[in-house]
Amino acid sequence: MTDTYPAFDISPVPVPATDAVPPEQFRGLYGMPMFVSVPTSDLAESADFWIRGLGFSTSFRCLID
């Protein structure tokens, strides 16, 4: 695979300014310098908090019975 995606070059986030307008929610994948790890004992309740409470989205979900 030789295709690359210029994630850092096409960020949907505007340059900070007093008249900046927030973009529509971006559901693409983009490069991040680090990830936060938040341990939980109740995955369903935690997911509900992050998705419905804070407005995050789900990129993928693994269902285990």
Side-chain angles (χ1 to χ4, degrees):
M1 178 187 230
T2 58
D3 295 335
T4 59
Y5 186 75
F8 295 104
D9 296 335
I10 62 168
S11 172
V13 180
V15 175
T18 56
D19 61 345
V21 177
E24 293 295 319
Q25 185 174 14
F26 181 69
R27 296 200 180 270
L29 297 176
Y30 57 94
M32 294 185 67
M34 61 191 319
F35 294 92
V36 174
S37 176
V38 181
T40 182
S41 60
D42 188 342
L43 185 57
E45 200 61 36
S46 180
D48 185 57
F49 169 75
W50 289 98
I51 295 169
R52 289 190 330 117
L54 298 179
F56 283 74
S57 61
T58 302
S59 296
F60 64 90
R61 180 176 293 188
C62 178
L63 301 175
I64 300 173
D65 291 323

